[in-house]
Amino acid sequence: MSWVKDIFDPDERRWEEIYRNRFQTDKVVRSTHGVNCTGGCSWNIHVKNGVVALETQATDYPRISCDVPAYEPRGCQRGISASWYLYSPLRVKYPYLRGVLMDLWREARKVHADPVAAWASIVNDPAKRQSYQEARGKGGLRRSSWDEVLELTAASTIHTIKRHGSDRIIGFSPIPAMSMLSFAAGSRFLQLLGGVNLSFYDWYCDLPNASPEVWGEQTDVAESADWYHSKFIVSMGANLGMTRTPDVHFAAEARHDGAKLVVLSPDFSMTSKYADQWIPIHAGQDAAFWLAVDHVILKEFHHERKTPYFLDYVRRYSDAPFLVELEKHQGGLRPGRMLRASEIARTRDTENGDYKFLVWDGTANAPRMPRGTLGFRWQHEKGQWQLTLKDGVDGQDIDARTSFLEGNDGLAQVAFDEYASGKVALRGVPVRTVETLRGTVQVATVYDLLFAQYGVSRGLAGEYPASYDDADAAYTPAWQERFTGVSAAEVIRFAREWATTAEKTGGKCSVIIGAGVNQWYHGDHAYRAAIAGLVLCGCIGKNGGGLNHYVGQEKLAPVAPWSALAFALDWAGPPRLQNAPSFHYVHSDQWRYERASEDEKLNPLPEPSEFATRHTMDHQARAVRLGWLPFFPQFDRTPTAVVNDARAAGARTDGEVSSWVVRQLKEKKLKFSVEDPDAPENWPRLWFIWRGNALMSSAKGHEYFLRHYLGTHSNAVAPETAMGEVTDVAWRDPAPKGKLDLVVDLNFRMDTSALYSDVILPAATWYEKDDLNSTDMHSFIHPLQAAVPPCWESRSDWDIFKAIAEKVSELAKTHIPEPVREIVTRPLMHDTPAEMAQRELRDWAKGECEPEPGKTMPGLAYVDRDYVNLHNRFISFGPVVRAQGIGAHGITWPVDDLYDELVLDRPTVEWGGKRYPSIAVAKDAANVILHLAPETNGESAFRAFQAEEKKVGLPLTDLVAGSRNVRTTFADLARQPRRLLDSPCWTGITGNGRTYSAYCLNVERLVPWRTLTGRQHFYLDHPGFIAFGEALPTYKPKPGQDVVRDLEASGNGGPSLQLNYLTPHGKWGIHSTFGDNLRMLSLSRGTHPLWVNDGDAEKIGLVDNDWVEAYNDHGVVVVRCVVSARIPTGLCLLYHAPERTIGVPKSPERGNKRAGGHNSLTRVRLKPTLMLGGYGQFTFALNYWGPTGNNRDTFIRVRKLVGAPQW
Amino acid sequence: MNVRSQISTVFHLDKCIGCHTCSVACKNQWTDRRGMEYAWWNNVETKPGTGYPISWEDQEQYQGGWKRDGDSLKLRQGGRLASLARIFSNPLLPILDDYYEPFTYRYDDLFNAPAGNDQPTARAISLIDGKPMEIRSGPNWDDDLSGSPIYAAQDPNLEGLSAEERSELQGIERMVFFYLPRICNHCLNAACVAACPSGAIYKRGEDGIVLVNQDRCRGWRMCVSACPYKKIYFNWSTGKSEKCILCYPRLEAGEAPACFHTCVGRIRYLGVLLYDADRLSEAAGRTDAELVAAQRTMILDPFDPAVVEAARKNGVPDAVIDSARRSPVYRFVKEWEIALPLHPEYRTLPMLFYVPPLLPAMAQEALEGEASFFTSLEKARLPLKYLASLFSAGNEEIVKAAYRKLMAVRLHRRSTQVGDLPATLTAKAMAEARLGTADADAIYRLTSLAGMDERIVIPPMMREGFTEPTVEPQRQNAAGFAYLRPPPGR
């Protein structure tokens, strides 16, 4: 054909050079995005003419093995848009100050030569303080200089320490793993001065509480390559295509290798599209579905077929065989506490006998005490904390009976609660009688209780459902239909395919799960139900199996040395670590808008009790008082004042100070701050925000933040309802507005948090600094690196906090010249002997026991703060690590020689006559971590496993013997990502080309889970869980608008819809990052719209792309809508997380003020069971345990915006 | 036999997640420039849907591509004479609103807003005139929006469906969508080349990449209307047309094109195909139902000695022939026949092929009757008619044959890996698909396990041959610097 021209002639093609020139770049530097994303993708940053041009993914991850697809490329649409930020008009190039404050400050500095006095003159003057607080977020920012902002910030820091106490200085930065040194910069600074770090995982409601409940583990999951080994993958509450963008190919590739992928989701999502089957389940009803699946598995695969693999698995790896005492209650017998060694004659004298639990031995025909339970972990004689079914007394093998169906002393009728119907069913459970020191008791196995709870009769008498079709009895397939909308037949098929696959493959079934299931008030129930389905089929601790929870989890691989560095444990401890949900619930006064009666409906009880029936705020105050949860500020005076007051009263030693404190608390002369949070002496005062968007995308109850923290305008209209309903907490009228004296934000973009802060410090982007990145989505560690120097006046987080520290030390020479001693409160901690603190519920404040620090109340510790040397300490890796070693999860190992190598071989700092490894430069800090971490240093790994071996009594070091000589440096990572070495800080086994899957170490090497029994728990033996009726997997109804009452004060004018309001993770941003850049906005319709069902839209005359006003008592959002049949009726989606800084009009509904962001419509409701503590795995650790900021049980009204949008 | 080599590509739609990383990679690399803001050389569409520019598949409106006229082919928009008549006003051109008005935001206001009584926000402004604007369209407007009566229902490929089938696709529990990433097809019978009044568009002889010579283009835009895929964009700043260049500067450096390198769904494959240019006219002129098969016959077996000899005679280097033998595209398109051209009825002989989406097309619906572990072709969630409209000019048998193979591979692998399904079921599926276990394993391997070096097989570009004639041979390395502008003055 003549018209198609093939041209070879080079002369004719000289013009082709145009595009070649655009393509060519000068150098490529490996970095990544230190944003709150689990991707952990390694990127190549292309620099041209000294300017970052663009980025492409690195594709050189070491291959794991030839039978698994490789990790390449990793990196999504969001990551590849990052270069837009560097030179964009959204970039924070210089330090900024709020104009009103700048004027006040410059005025004050003219009068006061001393910066601290100048600051005091402003914040001690209510009118001045209010003037800049009210201006927050309302424009008027002005460029400042580094000298000015550093001085102001340092002055505020010193003033706050002196006047209010160091524990009134708080900091928030999300998930450290993705840029761990940048996180550590701020946390190290705060912990050296006595400040408070807020948690994030629980606050985001990403912490799956079921994980600590069942496994005693914060979260441990498979890397995404391990999905490839799975032969049945269920995705629920997780939108892989949307949020696991770099990993999702493994799911498709697994499908082509014969796996089935089933998606449970209310909307037809990107992942539904990718799946063999989409099961459209009603939002928030996953527990009902899984309980019915478990019902079928128990009936068909455990009872009728007695699948050997499954039965053997639950006997060895779960609490199924453990004995639970049946206790008499009003309604009859109920499952009570687990029977323990101290209660029977044979083992009454065993050490920690209250924390060693019993099983029935078929051989001895008597209870026996298997190794591996909590008491063995903390006893003097080490080496018996192992998952062998051997008796702790004589080492004999135990034939642990999971069921008394055969061989029992009778059948007891036991009461089981069905909360959805309010019914109590009496069901027959086979029991044994046991002679205890208290007399004869009836016990059942957890396994038999499980059958009864699930309504699987096995021919036993009682109110069991007759068949799968019995729709009135929990938890049959027919029963779940009304909640889930899924047919019983579907559930039965699912269960059979699931269990058959697990049986044929030895447990290669997995659940990928996330926010869509976790972020409900009763999210932990759904998780437990799904976990039960996995454990019953032997799918935990298997490659290709597992509960793979992917939301907000991250994985900071070199956790042991990093923790020491990040929380300044190399100098002193304990750190002040605060669970953010409790903190914000209390301090942002969201508790004032809640009723006690709401709590009862939210969380129905088996029977009312003094313990369980109360306002959430009272639960919160009690949890602090009893040492279950931390709380800062600690007391109604400064931490140094407490010590000084005690000394003034005659106390000389720390012990005497503690005695004084205990007496004062008992006599109510000294108060916990949480008991009167609105008193000015208990307010937080100074807030550092870095790497995150604490005031918007992270601010559940955002409008309450604006009102009570910032003292600026708020669009919340909810009535205050807690007065008279709280008993343990003081009520003050009016509620304080503007608790915070100063908000300092480190940022590279002008996001909502920056806009509302007083001081904005220009931060380096991820392409302008050195840092480390790891994730659990893959098993590599790799760096961030400066492809170009920090642009304009920006600095890395590390260098900014170092500079603030330097200024604080300088001012301290005048103001706090000598070290001061502080009291630090600490809750009863996980992975410490405090797991054995509280077997029973006893409240010292009610005289039920004596207040005893670290036992019945928080522990009390003492730390010297050396403010003059704060900067010196910041830049020096301290001597405590050398002396005490490093550790995590209850084990510690020595690193003194490795520390000495750092002194010999690396940059050092010398002061006070001593030399320390220098961490003045972030890259050096990275090398310190890499040199000490078992995941990157084979010798450290070997020693860590040696330490674990001692506790467990079984060989483990062989796992890393072959990699003992591995040493990894930052320069190595710059060349290529490195695969992490196995370490007892984690639970996978990755040698010989294996992909990482959680709990393989437990299953294969018999290392106990860190729980009461050392096994996986179906039964939660905590008196609090029993009181709340949640000891066994259960279902509690999803609360409706009549319960949560989000719309009491909001009008109903004009045609509008009441909808359940969901904020899943979106396609065009990682939280709020990227979502405001032009690339993502162009691809997302220029906004982050509200998605509404087409039928619903029609009801109120809504057409696609109309502006809508979405509102409730908590606030208002004005945004465009998308109308789609993809969304089910009755709910709407506003993908997390738009900024209110980009194209947001004003709201006619709320006085024509600027409408808000997605968190303007949320308010947190804390679940009291998640505050329980002091016992077993239910003990505190940051981001491990505590109530979550759940946010999905929220209702809004949506209507068409009246008139044109107002700007 | 007139053997030529063409760098060709396959997109495996079953693996596409619609993430648009490819689109951003391309935008960053090539079109983040004044005049090109609205242009997305690589874009991703949700199907059913209307795409970008809106309704580009509606050739009644746009008159792109070729039509059969007796024994010959004619540009649908008309020949040179018709073009000449429209040269100053071409009604077939998409206008800005068919793409979208590019926008940005007044980000500066966040820094500069004076102190006031309310929070500032950054308003959207037009990138054309800088004024505040309301955003009513975009390059990805109907993303994930299947089931929409406004967008999805306008998909021209739904035309053949019954009213009942169409209305079912609008409801939540029946609706279905998949993603269609699109770049220039670098067609063998490119309409844009034929339509250019300036002769500015050509195929590179060595690799078949279609380029608009930026020196010769006069901005007539006949190529824009002639391209039925709407993959040529007019740069309103330079006054010239631009298009996907298959990242030839990257290929020349041995790197995958940006959208291939960054494809995180690992759906993209690239490799050389040898084809017989003598058969071009005949293949493009077949009936609709025969088009896919005809295009396949044009593609030659690189192992066939006769083909090799003819290729050598045409100057195809041995190294390129060797590369053609390792081409994943050859396997998908020719050996297995599971990758199909997009809209072959446009008769441009596109050289980008799509493995049709197994899911959700074949996804299970709510349980009806007897349970099967994977679903069957008969229960397809998306009518095959729709897929045939996209990938085989309406020939359902071609689409069906591809699906039979894709499904047989999964059953085969399931039986190897788990063994819970009846052996007869797998055997039957393999027989119906006419697939042997070796090929099934090979399809599985290339779909699942293949690394980037297997997915993307870039032929040696032999650049020395193209630079040698343009430089002084005595100067070391002169070729590498040859085209750079020398310092002014001497």
Side-chain angles (χ1 to χ4, degrees), chain A residues 6 13 20 22 1120, chain B residues 4 14 29 134 206 252:
Chain A
D6 281 5
R13 285 168 43 180
R20 287 194 189 100
R22 183 167 169 109
R1120 286 182 181 276
Chain B
R4 302 197 192 175
D14 188 53
Q29 180 87 65
E134 287 284 309
E206 68 275 27
E252 287 166 1

Side-chain angles (χ1 to χ4, degrees), chain A residues 354-423:
Chain A
D354 276 354
Y355 304 91
K356 291 177 177 171
F357 304 90
L358 304 177
V359 300
W360 193 270
D361 181 10
T363 311
N365 210 27
R368 284 290 179 265
M369 181 180 73
R371 292 174 178 173
T373 60
L374 184 66
F376 288 97
R377 185 178 183 196
W378 301 116
Q379 71 185 16
H380 281 101
E381 191 195 338
K382 300 301 178 197
Q384 292 189 358
W385 186 54
Q386 55 181 238
L387 285 184
T388 52
L389 282 167
K390 286 187 190 299
D391 185 52
V393 176
D394 55 20
Q396 290 294 307
D397 286 337
I398 300 171
D399 172 23
R401 307 294 303 273
T402 47
S403 175
F404 296 150
L405 200 58
E406 286 163 25
N408 58 56
D409 298 326
L411 195 68
Q413 289 296 320
V414 182
F416 294 90
D417 297 282
E418 298 186 2
Y419 299 104
S421 58
K423 176 171 97 173

Side-chain angles (χ1 to χ4, degrees), chain A residues 336 539 1103 1159:
Chain A
C539 302
V1103 178
N1159 267 333

Side-chain angles (χ1 to χ4, degrees), chain A residues 1 3-8 10 12-20 22-23 54-55 57 67-70 72-73 75-77 80 84 89-91 96 137-140 228 231 245-246 248-249 253 255-260 268 270 273-278 280 489-490 493 497 501 504 750 755-756 1067-1068 1076 1078-1079 1081-1083 1085-1086 1091 1104-1105 1107 1120 1122-1128 1140-1144 1146 1153-1154 1205 1207, chain B residues 4 14-21 24-25 28-30 32-33 66 103-105 107-108 110-111 113-123 134-135 139-141 143-145 150-151 170 172 175 177 179 188-189 193-194 199 202-206 211-216 242 245 248-250 252 261-264 266 280-281 359-360 363-364 366-367 371 373-374 410 413-414 417-418 444 447-449 451-452 455 463 466 470 483:
Chain A
M1 284 192 192
W3 55 75
V4 177
K5 304 201 302 182
D6 281 5
I7 297 185
F8 287 90
E12 262 193 75
R13 285 168 43 180
R14 278 179 182 257
W15 76 273
E16 286 177 12
E17 216 47 32
I18 292 172
Y19 292 123
R20 287 194 189 100
R22 183 167 169 109
F23 159 70
L54 50 79
E55 54 280 88
Q57 297 105 325
D67 66 348
V68 182
E72 48 83 355
C76 70
Q77 71 273 26
I80 203 168
W84 182 90
L90 195 58
R91 179 76 195 258
Y96 284 86
K138 297 176 187 166
Y228 188 72
K231 295 302 161 196
T245 315
V248 68
H249 67 86
E253 287 151 355
R255 280 203 279 98
H256 286 266
D257 197 18
K260 183 168 185 173
F268 188 76
M270 286 174 83
K273 172 258 170 207
Y274 218 51
D276 283 290
Q277 194 184 359
W278 168 48
E490 200 68 72
R493 167 168 79 172
E497 289 183 353
T501 305
K504 293 264 184 192
M750 186 56 77
L755 195 74
Y756 279 83
K1067 191 167 180 175
W1068 308 112
D1076 55 2
L1078 190 55
R1079 294 280 180 274
L1081 284 165
S1082 295
L1083 290 167
R1085 291 186 164 205
W1091 288 69
D1104 187 78
N1105 207 40
W1107 286 100
R1120 286 182 181 276
V1122 173
V1123 173
S1124 173
R1126 185 174 86 66
I1127 308 297
R1140 56 188 299 174
T1141 50
I1142 307 293
V1144 173
K1146 302 204 174 192
K1153 287 287 183 185
R1154 183 76 56 207
W1207 300 98
Chain B
R4 302 197 192 175
D14 188 53
K15 298 180 77 180
C16 183
I17 51 178
C19 67
H20 302 253
T21 311
V24 181
N28 284 347
Q29 180 87 65
W30 301 121
D32 185 21
R33 287 177 281 135
W66 302 92
F103 49 84
T104 185
Y105 298 81
Y107 293 110
D108 292 359
L110 299 174
F111 294 84
N117 65 357
D118 205 356
Q119 180 216 301
T121 197
R123 282 193 73 179
E134 287 284 309
I135 298 164
N140 183 34
W141 194 251
D143 190 65
D144 292 349
L145 252 184
I150 301 179
Y151 309 105
Q170 308 289 316
I172 173 143
M175 66 166 287
F177 66 78
Y179 301 108
L188 297 184
N189 186 30
V193 178
Y202 62 97
K203 277 179 90 66
R204 302 215 307 183
E206 68 275 27
L211 294 179
V212 182
N213 184 324
Q214 294 295 294
D215 287 346
R216 293 184 66 171
E242 294 193 55
I245 57 173
Y248 66 80
R250 294 178 59 97
E252 287 166 1
H261 177 104
T262 57
C263 176
V264 67
R266 297 164 40 114
L280 199 152
S281 181
L359 299 172
Q364 276 167 342
L367 189 65
F373 193 77
F374 296 127
R410 292 190 70 196
R413 293 302 300 175
R414 177 94 192 167
Q417 297 288 302
V418 184
Y444 145 72
T447 302
S448 290
L449 278 178
M452 196 174 257
R455 300 197 304 274
R463 291 296 301 154
F466 295 89
T470 65
Y483 295 148

